[in-house]
Amino acid sequence: MRVLVTGGAGYIGSVSVEALLAAGHEPVVMDDCSTGHAAAVPAGVQFLRQDYGDRETTTATLAEHGVQAILHCAARSLVGESVQEPSRYYRQNVAGGIGLLEAARAAGVSRIVFSSTAAVYGTPDATPIPEDAPLRPINPYGETKRIFETALAWYGRAYGMRSASLRYFNAAGASAANGEDHDPETHLVPNVLAAASGGAPVTLFGADYPTPDGTPLRDYVHVLDIADAHVRALEATGRPDAPELLVCNLGSGSGFSVREVLAAAERVTGRQIPAVVGARRAGDPPVLLATIDRAREALGWTPRRGTLDEMIESAWAWRSAHPEGYAS
């Protein structure tokens, strides 16, 4: 299967490209490298440095390369930035996403997998969170992802498109070739490893939550497991009984606190990690965990690398080999 991977030079997109290659598929990467890295694209993979939201150009690309399905990983994804610059998020994640869907329609591509987020749930009424929980995003980032999911459902109903939306929680870890290199970096694991390497202390945003150690509990999932789910979901869209839109959570099935992440990183690195306690962030719930039964039933997917040590070991190995990120 020939698959267009938008955002294929990014963190999750590049690891998914590796997984597609390993499964015998033929990825074509489209990424403007505004946040991605050309060096993350495997050698020999067709790489198009362009904006997926340009309908005319993307339509021509889909037709020229004989694309059969799309893995849509590209998006603006910083929560804080989305609050400060919502127009940027609606332009790229919503308007750009609709441009991609229109290009797919024009080129006759009817299968798409959307790399979504647990941010569509907002602050849940209860955890673990099932896929049919109310969608109440609390920031423009989550809202733009929710809007695109809704568009996928209606495009399926009206135009016969078959889609899957995978809502994952906290991605972590690395493959041997690709890892996290963001500017700014907002994810906990790379910031913890940066502190282990002599960087700034890690800030714990609240240590008085009603959890066993006072810090929030979150669900982490290895990036390699996310990539595996992407491949399975792409294959599932080609089944005769594929639904208009399949929605699945991706997580580890258990939660880890911020202090547990720090402790695991100290075990893996053999270094003490400096940390300071700051104020709680508005909207941060004590616990965010996913139910993952649907992914197991619909895709045959289970997380195979669900321990913190496995995630952090792989991230630390990549960081050690690339101390300056992709510039190393």
Side-chain angles (χ1 to χ4, degrees), residues 7-229:
Y11 170 44
I12 293 170
S14 63
V15 179
S16 296
V17 168
E18 293 182 67
L20 284 166
L21 288 170
H25 299 300
E26 186 177 347
V28 176
V29 170
M30 180 181 288
D31 198 310
D32 64 6
C33 285
S34 57
T35 57
H37 306 272
V41 180
V45 172
Q46 183 72 43
F47 175 37
L48 308 169
R49 193 162 184 163
Q50 61 193 56
D51 180 3
Y52 67 87
D54 184 324
R55 176 183 171 183
E56 184 174 330
T57 302
T58 302
T59 300
T61 295
L62 293 170
E64 177 185 350
H65 293 276
V67 169
Q68 298 164 286
I70 297 170
L71 173 58
H72 184 32
C73 292
R76 302 298 307 180
S77 59
L78 298 178
V79 170
E81 180 187 61
S82 79
V83 174
Q84 296 170 354
E85 295 287 346
S87 65
R88 191 175 191 183
Y89 280 67
Y90 280 89
R91 284 197 309 271
Q92 182 163 340
N93 295 1
V94 177
I98 298 303
L100 176 65
L101 292 180
E102 287 297 286
R105 282 185 64 206
V109 179
S110 61
R111 297 164 60 183
I112 182 168
V113 169
F114 180 41
S115 188
S116 191
T117 173
V120 297
Y121 295 115
T123 303
D125 294 328
T127 58
I129 307 169
E131 287 86 354
D132 59 0
L135 304 185
R136 297 181 299 221
I138 59 174
N139 53 66
Y141 165 60
E143 177 65 9
T144 57
K145 291 280 196 171
R146 185 199 65 78
I147 291 171
F148 189 74
E149 283 194 9
T150 302
L152 286 175
W154 285 108
Y155 269 64
R157 185 173 302 178
Y159 308 124
M161 188 170 286
R162 293 296 177 262
S163 306
S165 183
L166 304 184
R167 298 171 180 165
Y168 50 83
F169 284 58
N170 294 280
S175 70
N178 290 307
E180 291 194 74
D181 184 2
H182 300 125
D183 183 19
E185 184 55 74
T186 61
H187 295 164
L188 178 61
V189 170
N191 280 330
V192 165
L193 296 181
S197 301
V202 176
T203 298
L204 309 184
F205 294 104
D208 58 351
Y209 284 91
T211 59
D213 64 18
T215 59
L217 282 168
R218 296 291 182 264
D219 203 336
Y220 291 84
V221 57
H222 200 295
V223 66
L224 287 170
D225 286 329
I226 292 175
D228 175 47

Side-chain angles (χ1 to χ4, degrees), residues 5 10 83 108 114 136 170 187 194 235 241 246 291 311-312:
V5 184
V83 174
F114 180 41
R136 297 181 299 221
N170 294 280
H187 295 164
E235 293 171 346
D241 61 345
L246 170 67
T291 61
M311 296 181 213
I312 294 173

